Amino acid sequence: MFSPRPTPCSGRWQSSRVTGRKSLAGTPTGLLFSPRRTSLAARSTPTRVQSYSTSEALHFDVQTFGSSLPVKVMEALTMADADDQISVKVDESGWAWMVCGERLIIWKICQTAVAKLSVCKGLQLPTSEFVYYADLISISSPSPLETSISVMAVSPEGTARFWPSLAHEGNYAETVVDMGENLCNFVVAVRGGSFIVSSYKGQLMRLWADPSGKPLQRALQQGQGVLSGIGRRVSSLFGMLAPLTNNNLHSVLWVGETGCLYTLTSYGLSKWEVNEVTEHQVLSWDSSRALTESVADAIWGSESNYEEIKEGVNVTYMDMQDGLVVLAAAWHPSDSPCLAYFCLVTLLDNGNNISEELSVEVTKYNPPFQSEDALQAMRLLLPLASSPAAFLYNEELVFACSTGTGSGGLPEEKIPFNTPGDRLRGGGCCANLPVFFSQNSGLVAVVARESASMLPETMEDSLCFSLAGAGPEATAMETPTRMEPVAQEDKTKLLKAAFLQFCRNDLVGAQNMTDELFPPEGEGDWEVGGELDLVVTRINLDLVDDYPASDPRWAESVPDESAGFPLTSLIILHQLEDKMKAHSCFMDFLLQVGLLDRLGQTTVRSSPMATRLLLCEHAEKLQAAMTLKNHHAKHGELVNRAILIALRKSNATVSTSLTAADVFFREVSQISSVFECLLEEEDRTLKENPVDSVKWAEVVISVNTIIKDMLQAAGQYRDTKASLYRASESTTAEPEYIPWTASSGLGGVRTVIARQHEVILRDVYPHADSEMRNGLNEQLTALLDVLLGGYVAQLTSLRLGRPGQQDHYNTLEMEYTQGRSELLAPLLELGQYQWVAALAEKYCDFDILVQMCEQTDNQNRLQHYMAKFADQNFADFLFRWYMEKGKRGKLLSQPIAQHQQLASFLQSHEHLSWLHHIHVHDFSSAHKTLYGQANMETRYFVKKKTLLALSKLTALASDMPEAVMKTHVDAVYL
């Protein structure tokens, strides 16, 4: 009766709530560099896996992914009957597992074409009357670099079997998940080594193991009210469509970066915040009405009788992936023919509610509607949450499409897997690629033939151009044989070429080329900290210091033999952002091809440094440069003058087509040179302007703000991205780490902060009003925090680093302790206790803390510090301080809570300990101490006589038995 509009497949629908939609961009053409593709037809692995023809796919290649399948997997495929249910899941961590009957096989995917020894284990699943599938199994690993994982498998009926370590497949424990009469459908690993188990009806249980390995469980508490989080415009949809009769759970999504768990049911979306031990529901949104109307409007909205049509529209959900992209299908039973329209709906999570803005993308995959159960077989993959590329798949096909959000995308095309005996048994995302398990071909990846690179487009084109000059070897993506020596310069270009392959999603080609250039351990003459470190450092430095050669203003300034990564953005900030994106891609490349863990050390500022940390330093300076560029707009005159000073010192020339800022911001690795130049400009301004002028005060505040914000931006990047640059467990002791934010000497950050400290307190503070002083104190505290934090990082690296550095550690610790006190003492003298306390507590300057408490006569704070720093012996420090300062009255008048510690301290100070004994009425101990002191006194008779007299008095006052007391008293001869 009803027919959809003629062109719903265009998919370009946008509700009134959707903003910022862009059309699909075409794939890049005419590149000078083309990656080598290896189709499945060329596969030569002697296994049961057959070749697969991709002749029906116009825009995509289906490539083998990884090496040959493990023997256990091949055996399971060979022995499986035609009716056996086989289910496979590929995890982004690089692990895959296959369920065949009640047997689970889990293996580590080896991402090279050369077969190597790979971890593969076979596990027995609990007995079940129902069919197992891969969603009922999950793994947990401490980090992507770990090889030790735990496994949780749950039968449909709820019998959970937990293996604490895959290395010991015979060691497992069982429990029964309490789901009532409902069957389980998903197991998802979350934080704290725990797992979430769900049922078809939406029940959620959290499972974890106690220290003995015994599985424990508890139910996730549901939020109050299904209408929580609904927006006003969405809630107005209630009553328009009939409610669904069944509330089934369709998907469970864990987003590890944010620690959020999402569930998608027939009625709506729920969200939990999950940490290592607890979880709580923060959102429950009835999405069914809003999504149903939005999807119906996208497909049939242009029909004249739409109001009548939408009453009969059916919508079902199949899956949900990162980015809150929901896979849905819609059909109208009265359509002729009745088609199923597959749609991708993108939701926006605003924290405690779902935004009213949503996007619906109707794909071109519209098969005839058979049944709702048939639709449920379709699944969704999103290789990169930041990319619009999407892949739908079931047993028979993969359909490439786009989410419709953002720019770019993939050409929509169906890739069939319907050759005789073939079917897709599952899939997942790995190495930013959609990976599927084909019955005939094993693990395969679907890659766009002219796939958009992860790099910015202009960088991609310029990189290809620069590599064209590297010779035919690089252009054709062929590397010399291992017997042929390769110059370091050529290796740099060839590794750049491998990097480009990786950015084009050709991980296999990139891995092969990388293995040829730098053979894995045991396969070549490779040394840690050698040529690999130099090549990697050179490439990353080329990225951050790149000449924007494609920018026509730079045409005369780019070196003739530059083999860099040119950018064309006319806006400096965008150029810096592109460089940061390229650096992130490069780090991902090093991790995926296995080079990151093999990096050793390189020389930086005349000292050795771990290469990983140098790569982090480059990114930190990019972050600092972007911060400086933002201040360029706010403090243009000041920053421009500093830039001119920096360029004059480096003898850099500025062509007529460029600005000084263009030249300065190009060389990001030297961005810290601006600090000293800012201080020079500050010094000039202070000298040339009167104290009471506005400019005199503003320049100090501005310089502080710029330096502080740059250093804090760098430090924040270092802290938040620490896991990316950390050493692997197998790394030997590393050299001393001196962050660039802790560099000393001329122009070093420590020197700059120390100079600014002096300028602020000596020249500016005395003339500032109270409001300005508060601002200066806050800025100075932040600068000192950076300086002292650099010392701590350096000392920590020495403590955990190579042996034999104790003398250097002691010297540096003394320098740190002395400098810390010298920096904080002036603030203490000025009475800035709030800021002094913040720094002294963070960096454990006990001397400053005690002085502050004494100046303010704050005994309660002293007691607080004794408790807070008990493990660092603050009490002993306080007692010694009282001794050195001659404050014996305060030493001996400690509260009862400190008596035991004081008694222990006074054991080595017997000339005072007897006073403490008397104070606490321990006269027996006082008698013994005094008697011992008297016997040791041989010089002064009067003193000896006094001690004996006191000893006798304390004996008389003691609670010793009378006979014992008499003996002690008679022993005292005055």
Side-chain angles (χ1 to χ4, degrees), residues 808-842:
H808 179 37
Y809 179 90
N810 294 339
T811 302
L812 181 65
E813 186 178 35
M814 184 179 298
E815 176 186 327
Y816 163 62
T817 304
Q818 180 179 350
R820 182 184 61 194
S821 295
E822 291 175 353
L823 293 170
L824 297 184
L827 286 173
L828 182 63
E829 292 175 5
L830 294 172
Q832 298 301 322
Y833 303 123
Q834 174 188 355
W835 306 109
V836 171
L839 290 173
E841 288 179 20
K842 181 175 181 179

Side-chain angles (χ1 to χ4, degrees), residues 333-481:
S334 299
D335 278 357
S336 181
C338 181
L339 303 179
Y341 296 95
F342 283 85
C343 309
L344 296 176
V345 184
T346 303
L347 307 176
L348 179 60
D349 181 3
N350 285 334
N352 292 324
N353 62 78
I354 298 296
S355 171
E356 295 180 1
E357 298 179 2
L358 54 87
S359 162
V360 177
E361 181 76 6
V362 184
T363 73
K364 294 180 180 179
Y365 183 61
N366 309 317
F369 175 76
Q370 297 177 353
S371 68
E372 186 172 351
D373 288 342
L375 296 178
Q376 290 298 326
M378 189 68 75
R379 287 290 178 264
L380 170 66
L381 288 183
L382 299 178
L384 281 172
S386 58
S387 168
F391 296 85
L392 317 184
Y393 72 99
N394 58 22
E395 286 192 341
E396 299 177 350
L397 60 89
V398 172
F399 187 82
C401 55
S402 171
T403 63
T405 58
S407 61
L410 295 176
E412 297 198 34
E413 185 175 10
K414 181 175 74 172
I415 302 129
F417 285 81
N418 55 4
T419 55
D422 197 14
R423 65 177 65 182
L424 293 182
R425 296 297 193 174
C429 295
C430 186
N432 299 328
L433 289 174
V435 179
F436 306 95
F437 190 92
S438 163
Q439 177 80 23
N440 288 351
S441 305
L443 289 174
V444 296
V446 174
V447 182
R449 288 207 169 109
E450 285 290 343
S451 62
S453 174
M454 291 182 283
L455 292 170
E457 183 179 352
T458 51
M459 177 179 282
E460 165 88 1
D461 294 342
S462 299
L463 174 56
C464 295
F465 179 79
S466 69
L467 289 176
E473 294 83 6
T475 306
M477 289 306 296
E478 296 174 359
T479 57
T481 63

